Amino acid sequence: MESAWVDTTLDLNINPSHNTIKVLTGALLEELNRISAENKKLTEMLTVLCERYSSLQNQYMELVSRNSGSDATAATSKKRKAECEDYATMIGFSGKAESSCSDEDSCKKPKDCIKAKISRAYVRTNPSDNSLIVRDGYQWRKYGQKVTRDNPSPRAYFKCSFAPSCPVKKKVQRSAEDPSILVATYEGEHNHEQHSPPALSSLSPNSGTSNPRSAPVSSSSSAPAKSSPPTVTLELMKPTGLGNDTQNPTQQVDEPAIQQILVQQMAASLTRDPNFTAALASAISGKVLDHKW
DNA sequence: CGCATTTGACCCGCGC
DNA sequence: GCGCGGGTCAAATGCG
Ligand SMILES: [Zn+2]
C-alpha cells in the first residue's frame, strides 16, 4: 500500500498533466477513504486494547494489594505500585501550568486553568451485581443518578464523604458495550488518607460461603469471556482472597487519543517486560503457595 | 432518631 | 430564545 502511495505522489510531482491529476485525485480520494476507514478501525481496536490493558492492570493491582501483607513481596509490590502511579501522573495533565498563569489571560479565564485532575478507572466486575462499585478504599455518598443518552445503563454520582472538606467526586457508569466493565471517573484529589487501602472496609456477613459475589445468578450464563483469556484466568483468583466485592483500583487518563497511544505503548512494553512477567508469576505462585485464602 | 440513598426537580452550558 | 443533555440539589424514603 505504501509503495503505491509513494508512486502516486511521485507521479503527481512529475506529471502536471490535467488528466493525470484528475485520475490521481480520484485515486488519492479513494486512498484517503481507505486510510480513514483503517484509521477508524485501528482506533476501535485501540480502545478495546486499552480496556483490556486496564482490566489486566486492575487485576494485577488488586493482586499486589492483597499480597501487601506479606513481607517479601511488599517491597516489589510497593515499587510496582509507585511505578504505576508514576505512569498515571505521567499520562495525565501533569502540570497545572502555574508558571504560565502569570499573564493576565489566566486571570481573565480561571475556569479551565485550575481544572481538577480527572482520572478514569476501568473496573471489571460481574455483570450480575447491579449495584455500582463503592469499595475502593474511600467513603462515598451518592448524590445523584442520571440516565445518559448513549448508554442504557445509568450513571451514578458520588462525593467523598470521609472528610467534610474533601472535594473529590466520582462518576460510575457501566460500559455500553461490555456490561462487565464499570467506568469510574474520579475528579480531584483527596486531602486525607484512605482508612483501608486494599479493599475490605467492613466485612460482609456472608463470610462463610465460598461465593462472595452475591449473585442472583438469574439469566444466561455469565462470564461470556468476551475479554482476553488472561483476564478470565485472573478472575478465578479474584473472589478468593478479597472479602466480597470485585473491584480493582487503578486510574489512568486517556482523554485524548495520543494518550491512548501512550497507554498502548506502555502496555505493550509492560507485557513484553520480563521483569513484569517474572513479578506477576512470582506473585501468582506466592499467592498459590500460601493459601491463606 | 440520625444517617445514607433515592429520585424528581432544578440549574446551566451549549447548539440550533 | 428554546430545547436538550448532563450535573447537582433536596425532599422523601428507607434502614439500622
Ligand atoms: Zn476524600
Side-chain angles (χ1 to χ4, degrees):
Chain A
M1 278 191 282
E2 288 96 3
S3 58
W5 171 271
V6 174
D7 287 340
T8 52
T9 50
L10 286 178
D11 286 346
L12 182 66
N13 288 334
I14 292 173
N15 303 324
S17 165
H18 293 281
N19 285 333
T20 316
I21 286 180
K22 232 182 229 174
V23 171
L24 284 178
T25 304
L28 283 178
L29 279 179
E30 186 182 355
E31 187 74 13
L32 182 67
N33 289 332
R34 202 164 54 191
I35 287 184
S36 295
E38 189 178 352
N39 187 22
K40 188 179 177 182
K41 194 174 179 181
L42 284 176
T43 303
E44 293 176 0
M45 291 173 59
L46 199 67
T47 303
V48 172
L49 215 57
C50 188
E51 284 193 358
R52 289 182 181 177
Y53 161 71
S54 304
S55 175
L56 184 62
Q57 195 182 26
N58 288 335
Q59 312 267 348
Y60 177 69
M61 293 290 282
E62 179 186 352
L63 198 67
V64 156
S65 63
R66 206 184 305 154
N67 279 337
S68 63
S70 59
D71 46 358
T73 59
T76 59
S77 63
K78 200 172 183 179
K79 189 176 178 182
R80 181 61 66 179
K81 199 172 185 179
E83 207 171 323
C84 291
E85 287 177 359
D86 283 349
Y87 279 159
T89 53
M90 186 175 72
I91 305 169
F93 322 106
S94 57
K96 301 165 191 168
E98 46 198 359
S99 60
S100 66
C101 279
S102 58
D103 51 1
E104 57 275 7
D105 288 339
S106 64
C107 297
K108 249 190 284 183
K109 283 187 170 184
K111 296 173 67 176
D112 48 358
C113 188
I114 323 176
K115 233 7 181 227
K117 295 153 196 64
I118 296 177
S119 62
R120 186 171 297 183
Y122 294 95
V123 179
R124 192 172 194 278
T125 57
N126 197 324
S128 62
D129 56 356
N130 43 11
S131 66
L132 289 321
I133 59 166
V134 190
R135 296 292 139 81
D136 55 354
Y138 294 98
Q139 195 174 359
W140 302 97
R141 188 188 79 256
K142 187 176 180 178
Y143 68 92
Q145 179 170 339
K146 289 284 286 189
V147 290
T148 53
R149 188 171 174 233
D150 48 0
N151 198 334
S153 64
R155 175 183 300 170
Y157 299 90
F158 295 93
K159 187 182 183 307
C160 181
S161 63
F162 186 79
S165 65
C166 188
V168 178
K169 301 172 193 172
K170 85 169 175 182
K171 294 171 282 191
V172 178
Q173 187 172 25
R174 204 170 286 280
S175 177
E177 291 81 8
D178 196 348
S180 65
I181 289 184
L182 289 174
V183 181
T185 305
Y186 292 84
E187 181 176 346
E189 286 180 330
H190 293 279
N191 50 9
H192 57 87
E193 298 296 330
Q194 52 183 6
H195 63 302
S196 66
L200 51 114
S201 59
S202 64
L203 109 99
S204 85
N206 60 354
S207 59
T209 64
S210 62
N211 192 5
R213 53 187 74 177
S214 56
V217 179
S218 73
S219 60
S220 63
S221 66
S222 59
K226 210 179 291 180
S227 299
S228 57
T231 311
V232 178
T233 317
L234 286 175
E235 194 186 12
L236 292 179
M237 312 183 59
K238 190 185 290 182
T240 56
L242 202 47
N244 33 13
D245 268 343
T246 64
Q247 81 287 359
N248 320 320
T250 299
Q251 62 271 26
Q252 86 187 38
V253 213
D254 56 354
E255 196 61 29
I258 306 167
Q259 296 179 354
Q260 282 190 355
I261 293 176
L262 277 178
V263 167
Q264 277 316 304
Q265 289 178 354
M266 282 187 298
S269 64
L270 194 63
T271 51
R272 242 185 277 119
D273 190 13
N275 290 331
F276 173 76
T277 312
L280 187 61
S282 68
I284 292 178
S285 61
K287 188 67 216 161
V288 170
L289 283 183
D290 59 344
H291 51 301
K292 294 187 252 193
W293 42 280

